[in-house]
Amino acid sequence: MAQQSSQTHIYEPSPLNGTYRKLPPRSRIHRSWKRLLIFAGVFIVVAALSLAFTFARPPIYESSADLLIEPKNPNSEGQDASTYDIALQEQVLLSRSLLSDVLTGLSSTDYTGYLEPFTVSALRPMLHVTTRSDSAVIRLTAAGPNKAILPVIVNSWIDRYVGMNSKTQQAYSNSTTVSLHQQIETLNNKIEKKREELEQLRQKYDIVTLERDGNKVLSTLKGLNNSLNKATENRTLAEANLRSVKEAIEQGKWAGNYKKTTELLRLEEKADEMEELVRDYEARYTPQFLEIDKNTRTTIDRYHRLIEEIQSKHTELKTVALEEAEQAIISARHAENDLRAQIASYEKKAAEFSGRFSEYESLKENLLELEKLSREYQKEMVAMEIKSDADLLQIKVLERAFLPESPSRPNYVRDAAISVVVSLLLAIAAVLIFDFLTRAPAGKEDLGAFPVTYNQVFQSLPSQTHSELQGTPASQNLLPPAEQILSRELSDVEIKKLYVASSDATQSIIAGLFNGLRIDEIIRLKWKNIDFDTGKLKASGASTRTIPLTPLYRSILLKNLSVTTNGDEYILRNEKSAPFPLKTTEECILEAAEQAQIRDPQQITPEALRHTYISFLARQGIHLQGIEQIVGPIPDSYHTIYQIMSPPGIDVSIETAQLALPALQEFV
């Protein structure tokens, strides 16, 4: 531990990254007391106010009664209490007329003094009606601070409601029956008129069926349209055939029927045989001999006549094919024109028939709607006639209201607990706000807050401390010698940004460096050094070793692996299949660092990435010998620094260690 005489700045090694942290000065103790006072003050004030508000609220009592809505004859079909009935009763229970009757009943009791003012507007907020969608039970509840009057109000409410309900349902049943009789009679008259009008229209326009296409005019027109579509399709095919024949003729290809083609092929095969014979004669004999020799001359003449016959056959086939294609178009056009003429003659009849048929359909739909409505009214009429006064919905009191023993709200214990928790959270928030408003600028309070290099820590020390450290014996010096200054170490955020901004080749280089390879080993790595079955690679060069493949490097290699890949090819190569120059790899990493906008990109080198990976392994507690099995030999002058990074008392083996950087696991 090093100490400066003029100021109390103490530095200690960090077990995580081997850098040095500046311990807090004595003034920070006062800051802790301030934070404690702020926490206690906010907590006490807020807790006192919220608890005072909680226990200052008056207790509210509730008194309730349950009603059941059901028919008097529950075995009658269709006599269940529906959701509509229950909702209607809820509206009736809170109606102004019923509440006025309740106040009238209360005026004769001794509890009128508990309700001030004695009006409907004062009574309505006290009353609540609760219904359930899966039950015909209605709960009537009265709530207020005076518990003595609550059961009196609810019971009076029930008595007034039961009496009014019976009168209302009886009057409603009588008026509904008369109205249904009148509606059914009006509907029957309209149905008869619609039927007569529909029959007259059907007979006048010979409407046989309700299917539009089943009638004669429309079915004939439909058939003609189908025939026209087919004729148009035939004409299109004939025109396409003519174009194909013309294109074949222009390109010198054959066009004709199968039989003539067979004969032409036979002649062409014979001509090919004779052509070979003639070429043999011409190669073996002179033109003068060919002229005087009878046999050869006869063969050559036969060959020329055969060529002329083949050309004549080609011309004949093309002419016949062209004429047949043109004749097919003419026939298709005649058929199409004839069908268009027939369709034109039927369109006027079809248009008139369609209009009348639409009118017929509309009348038919109106008739069906009227008949359906008539059946519904008749069904409702039958139900109303069957329903007697004894079958109307009745109100059954399941439980009358009673005097409440304890208040229903507020829940003082729960609200007090909430007040304490909220006060605690506000106190914590106040301390956090205090820390935020009074925190020191970044880098002033804690030199170890961000990943730093040995060089940065060494340069941050005062000059006097430098001299003291240089004069300390080697066995007591906490800082390594100045010549052991390492490259910059990248944080997880910088590693992610660098990888995302890299090209495919640069990503392969980065993945190799974070797999324990040196940059020269990556350049010389060939496909034959990779064993995907065992998941390992063999590093060649000054340090031959076998390294497990990390998932990221394995996925990149598999992505670039091709079926035709040669084992002797370099994995990282240029267009001439030669390995990348060392300078090119450094430029690729520098360009990626600049694209990622990393601070001091010129410091992002292969050595910096290698140092970052070795530091990652060292902080896990892996012994230096185990690290060298992965990354190769490490100079003795650097052993002290990596030993400082390793947590004391921990020795992790390569088999159990994590070899893949967590920052790059999301890219696998």
Side-chain angles (χ1 to χ4, degrees), residues 616-623 627 645-647 650-653:
F616 166 70
L617 298 178
R619 291 192 182 97
Q620 297 185 51
I622 306 175
H623 196 268
I627 296 177
M645 293 182 180
S646 180
I650 298 178
D651 189 5
V652 179
S653 64

Side-chain angles (χ1 to χ4, degrees), residues 304-374:
H304 288 303
R305 286 195 300 272
L306 186 59
I307 294 299
E308 292 176 356
E309 185 179 358
I310 290 173
Q311 292 177 352
S312 177
K313 287 289 185 183
H314 271 292
T315 304
E316 181 183 353
L317 289 175
K318 293 177 181 178
T319 303
V320 172
L322 187 60
E323 290 176 353
E324 289 178 353
E326 291 176 348
Q327 185 61 37
I329 291 177
I330 294 173
S331 300
R333 287 177 178 173
H334 282 307
E336 186 178 3
N337 293 334
D338 291 341
L339 288 172
R340 290 185 187 278
Q342 294 182 40
I343 290 174
S345 63
Y346 267 90
E347 283 180 347
K348 186 175 181 181
K349 295 180 182 179
E352 182 179 1
F353 180 81
S354 296
R356 299 304 177 183
F357 189 80
S358 298
E359 183 180 355
Y360 179 81
E361 286 183 329
S362 178
L363 290 174
K364 187 68 176 178
E365 290 178 359
N366 291 339
L367 177 61
L368 293 176
E369 290 293 333
L370 291 174
E371 290 177 346
K372 180 181 179 181
L373 186 59
S374 177

Side-chain angles (χ1 to χ4, degrees), residues 51 101 125 130 254 303 305 357 366 435 524 529 666:
L51 290 175
D101 290 343
T130 306
W254 165 85
Y303 170 71
R305 286 195 300 272
F357 189 80
N366 291 339
D435 290 342
R524 293 195 304 268
N529 302 127
E666 62 183 271

Side-chain angles (χ1 to χ4, degrees), residues 65-110:
D66 292 331
L67 304 179
L68 176 65
I69 299 178
E70 63 175 3
K72 290 184 179 179
N73 184 9
N75 295 325
S76 300
E77 184 179 358
Q79 292 297 309
D80 295 334
S82 63
T83 305
Y84 172 78
D85 293 327
I86 297 176
L88 179 62
Q89 302 309 314
E90 181 179 355
Q91 296 296 323
V92 173
L93 281 165
L94 294 176
S95 63
R96 190 173 187 83
S97 59
L98 178 60
L99 296 184
S100 298
D101 290 343
V102 173
L103 287 177
T104 302
L106 290 175
S107 61
S108 59
T109 65
D110 298 333

